[in-house]
Amino acid sequence: MTEAVGRTALVELSGVSKNYGNVRALEGVSLEVHAGEITCVLGDNGAGKSTLIKIIAGLHQHDGGTLRVDGEETRFGSPREALDRGVATVYQDLAVVPLMPVWRNFFLGSEPRKGVGPFKRMDVDLMRRTTRSELLRMGIDLRDVDQPIGTLSGGERQCVAIARAVHFGAKVLVLDEPTAALGVKQSGVVLRYVAAARDEGLGVVFITHNPHHAYLVGDRFVLLRRGTTVGRHTRDEITLDELTEQMAGGSDLADLRHELQRR
């Protein structure tokens, strides 16, 4: 793991809490994201992962604790503010337009233009060339950037979204369950490009419920259960078996195993 001692975290949450009315979604959650490292956040449904994503992405504001970006205490007012500070979030549904070509989705909402006045138009050639070269730089060799993005596999679409975030200057990449709906082979493709983003120097937050995927790429692990932190570890502090056991509930799982044994 990259040595992080003495370095300022790109993003740091300290004791962050979030309430929705009388429901406490997060309570006292802390994590660090460093350049060139992957921080994995693990938890089952209802653990608080979605709320954590929304706070980092600028969709929701935290009620307690602190959020720091490059060491500066911050409270994002919108996703645009988060993007302007270099925090890009790739959601599970990806927010792509399936019938549009890959290059159009790559630049969606940020299209470069050429010409002046009434003759100003999208620079399609530049978008095609840039999409192809940026995908290749990340090791993604698509057959044709003119094909509709909906014809790509789930893993390929995830990889296009990662390459897009890298191209537009993200320093922190938040990935929402990128392998959740994928098979083993496609999950491997995505994990390869998650590692490529790390190697580009980005800090990555990898949200997942799969400890095997997390352990393949993770440098730090934060385990959530019912909105609270039940474990924080670096890679050299925990084995895959220990991570899996904590993810599965530890003593709760042992009690269930005992209860289900044949008498």
Side-chain angles (χ1 to χ4, degrees):
M1 185 181 72
T2 304
E3 183 60 48
V5 176
R7 292 194 290 123
T8 301
L10 294 176
V11 169
E12 180 182 4
L13 277 68
S14 301
V16 164
S17 300
K18 176 65 181 177
N19 299 325
Y20 297 104
N22 293 326
V23 177
R24 173 147 286 197
L26 289 179
E27 183 173 5
V29 172
S30 300
L31 64 81
E32 296 178 5
V33 185
H34 290 269
E37 288 187 3
I38 298 173
T39 297
C40 298
V41 180
L42 299 101
D44 280 327
N45 293 335
K49 303 191 302 296
S50 295
T51 301
L52 185 68
I53 290 172
K54 289 171 182 174
I55 290 172
I56 298 175
L59 280 166
H60 292 174
Q61 293 189 347
H62 51 289
D63 298 319
T66 57
L67 165 64
R68 293 184 178 88
V69 178
D70 292 326
E72 178 186 344
E73 188 169 340
T74 304
R75 184 179 288 270
F76 293 136
S78 68
R80 172 51 60 184
E81 285 187 23
L83 278 170
D84 290 343
R85 295 294 300 272
V87 180
T89 302
V90 177
Y91 294 99
Q92 199 170 336
D93 60 11
L94 294 179
V96 297
V97 183
L99 295 180
M100 283 186 176
V102 173
W103 61 264
R104 189 74 169 84
N105 276 278
F106 193 91
F107 280 94
L108 197 60
S110 303
E111 295 85 351
R113 298 181 180 275
K114 63 181 180 180
V116 293
F119 303 103
K120 204 168 188 178
R121 63 195 186 279
M122 291 193 303
D123 193 339
V124 174
D125 289 338
L126 175 63
M127 286 190 279
R128 283 196 179 105
R129 289 196 311 271
T130 302
T131 300
R132 187 174 289 109
S133 64
E134 287 300 299
L135 292 177
L136 281 172
R137 186 164 74 91
M138 291 288 292
I140 306 168
D141 188 8
L142 288 185
R143 298 173 297 278
D144 181 10
V145 296
D146 283 301
Q147 68 188 104
I149 199 168
T151 64
L152 301 183
S153 69
E156 288 172 327
R157 289 197 296 272
Q158 286 281 356
C159 296
V160 170
I162 292 170
R164 182 184 191 279
V166 172
H167 171 71
F168 283 101
K171 295 188 294 182
V172 175
L173 181 61
V174 183
L175 301 172
D176 174 22
E177 298 271 9
T179 61
L182 304 180
V184 174
K185 185 175 180 180
Q186 286 297 318
S187 293
V189 170
V190 172
L191 292 173
R192 202 170 291 124
Y193 296 122
V194 171
R198 173 201 64 200
D199 294 343
E200 286 277 328
L202 275 71
V204 180
V205 182
F206 180 26
I207 311 291
T208 183
H209 64 269
N210 190 317
H212 295 273
H213 291 170
Y215 204 77
L216 281 171
V217 296
D219 298 293
R220 300 170 184 270
F221 306 97
V222 177
L223 291 99
L224 299 181
R225 190 177 306 143
R226 296 175 185 171
T228 62
T229 304
V230 294
R232 293 180 66 199
H233 310 280
T234 57
R235 187 181 182 84
D236 56 1
E237 294 172 342
I238 193 168
T239 66
L240 174 58
D241 288 344
E242 291 168 340
L243 186 67
T244 303
E245 183 178 1
Q246 287 193 24
M247 172 71 188
S251 60
D252 292 341
L253 185 65
D255 291 343
L256 179 61
R257 186 184 300 116
H258 178 73
E259 181 181 335
L260 295 177
Q261 283 177 348
R262 291 180 181 274
R263 297 184 183 277

